[in-house]
Amino acid sequence: MSEAAEIIEGTWAIPVPTPFGGHTNAYLLAEDTGFSLIDTGWGSREGLDALMEGIEQAGFTPDDLNGAAVTHHHYGHAGLLQALNQPNIWCGIHGHELKTLKDIRDGKAPTAGFEVAVPRVPAGTVLLADGARLPLSGRTVRAVWTPGHTFGHTVFVEDHPAGTLLYSGDHVPPEEISPPGRLGLDVSYLSLAVEAYAESLTKLEQLPPDTFVLPGEGRPFRGLHQRIQQIVQARAARTAAVAHTAKSANSAAHTHGQLTVANITDKITGCHHQAAGSFARFAALMDTAAHMYAAGIPVSGLPSWHSR
C-alpha cells in the first residue's frame, strides 16, 4: 500500500485501505498548531493503523488532532470518526449526513448494501451549511454543499497560496475511477439524484479552471472543468441509454413498466457477473434506478438493503 505523501505544501494524502482491495484518501491539513482531517477512511483496525501511520509520517501525533470534516456519511469516508472521538476535537458534517448516520444506527434507514458498524460523531459536532468556513487556524477552507452522490455530500474549497484546492470526496472523481461518479447511494432521495448531481457539478464550474482536485478515491489531478464536462456527458448518455433500453424492451414485449432495475442494468452494462449482494452490484443497481427516475421510467425490483 502507498505511503502518505505531501501533495501540496501543508496537505498530506493518507491512503486508508478498504475491504474491497483499494483505498480511500484521508487528507491531513497542517495548521498553525496541530492538524485537522478531511475524511477519515474506512473504520477498521487496518484502516486506523494506516491513518495513525500517515499522521506520524506527516510529523504529527494523534494528540495534535484539532478536528475532522467529512464529505459524506459513507463508511470509507467517515468510518474512523468514532476512533478519533477525543474530548476536545470538532467534527464538521452536513446535517443530512448526520441525520442519516443516526437513522442507520436506530434502524430507520438502510446501509449501502453491507453491514458495518455505524460511527458516532464526536461531541463537538459542527453542522456544515453551504458556504460555512471550517474552524482551521492559518487556513481558509469553506464547505460547498454538493448533493448527488448523497443528499448531504459536501466538498471543501481552500484558498491555498499555491492556488485553489478542491477536496472533492466522491463528487468529482478522477478519470481512473469508473463509473464517473456513483449516484443513487442515498436511498431517501433516489428520485432526485441525477438532477441534483448535474446542478452541483455546474456549481463547481465557478471555480478556477486550474483548481487542484483532491478526490476521495484515486490520484489528485488538474483540469476540473474538463472533468466536469466528461461526467455531465457520461451522465446524460446513461439516462439516454436507460430510456432507450426500456423503450426497446417494452416495444418488443408489448408491455409497459415490466422491466426491473436489474433487467435494465444488465442490458446496459453487461454486469450479470457481479455477485448478488456485493457492493459493486448494489451501486450499479442504484445508479440505474436513479437514471430510470430521471427518464420517467417506473422503478421496480430494487434490491433489498441491509438495515441495522
Side-chain angles (χ1 to χ4, degrees):
M1 180 177 167
S2 301
E3 293 187 348
E6 188 174 23
I7 52 178
I8 200 164
E9 184 179 0
T11 296
W12 292 69
I14 303 175
V16 180
T18 73
F20 312 119
H23 67 267
T24 54
N25 298 318
Y27 291 102
L28 182 153
L29 280 64
E31 301 182 57
D32 290 340
T33 302
F35 71 94
S36 289
L37 296 171
I38 291 181
D39 282 349
T40 67
W42 189 275
S44 65
R45 170 49 57 186
E46 293 77 13
L48 183 59
D49 289 346
L51 182 62
M52 293 299 104
E53 183 177 346
I55 289 171
E56 181 179 343
Q57 290 169 352
F60 295 95
T61 72
D63 291 338
D64 298 321
L65 176 65
N66 296 321
V70 294
T71 56
H72 59 299
H73 74 270
H74 288 159
Y75 208 56
H77 301 265
L80 284 171
L81 277 179
Q82 187 165 336
L84 301 175
N85 193 357
Q86 302 173 22
N88 297 319
I89 75 167
W90 59 268
C91 170
I93 187 171
H94 190 276
H96 181 81
E97 303 302 279
L98 184 62
K99 181 181 183 301
T100 299
L101 284 174
K102 182 179 184 301
D103 286 347
I104 294 173
R105 281 199 306 270
D106 294 344
K108 297 177 182 178
T111 63
F114 49 87
E115 290 285 356
V116 294
V118 182
R120 294 184 179 275
V121 298
T125 297
V126 178
L127 296 183
L128 296 177
D130 192 22
R133 181 170 169 173
L134 298 188
L136 306 177
S137 60
R139 305 184 73 145
T140 302
V141 182
R142 60 186 171 90
V144 179
W145 181 41
T146 51
H149 181 70
T150 66
F151 184 71
H153 191 287
T154 300
V155 302
F156 301 99
V157 178
E158 178 172 11
D159 298 324
H160 191 278
T164 302
L165 307 183
L166 172 63
Y167 302 89
S168 67
D170 281 344
H171 192 72
V172 185
E175 288 190 53
E176 70 261 23
I177 302 297
S178 182
R182 291 192 181 101
L183 299 183
L185 296 184
D186 195 335
V187 180
S188 62
Y189 93 119
L190 191 61
S191 63
L192 304 176
V194 172
E195 180 181 0
Y197 192 31
E199 291 177 352
S200 297
L201 288 169
T202 299
K203 190 177 186 179
L204 293 185
E205 285 189 304
Q206 300 173 19
L207 297 177
D210 63 347
T211 293
F212 191 38
V213 183
L214 288 68
E217 295 181 59
R219 298 185 297 270
F221 65 95
R222 296 190 186 272
L224 172 63
H225 291 190
Q226 179 182 0
R227 183 62 181 139
I228 286 174
Q229 286 306 308
Q230 289 175 341
I231 296 171
V232 168
Q233 292 169 10
R235 287 292 148 198
R238 176 59 63 90
T239 300
V242 166
H244 176 75
T245 299
K247 181 179 179 181
S248 298
N250 284 328
S251 295
H254 302 291
T255 61
H256 181 69
Q258 299 301 310
L259 278 178
T260 66
V261 174
N263 293 151
I264 294 182
T265 300
D266 292 340
K267 287 178 181 295
I268 293 175
T269 65
C271 290
H272 305 78
H273 62 282
Q274 290 177 331
S278 68
F279 176 73
R281 181 62 171 170
F282 177 86
L285 293 172
M286 293 300 95
D287 189 272
T288 296
H291 284 280
M292 289 174 69
Y293 279 115
I297 301 167
V299 175
S300 63
L302 286 173
S304 298
W305 301 295
H306 300 293
S307 295
R308 299 194 65 82

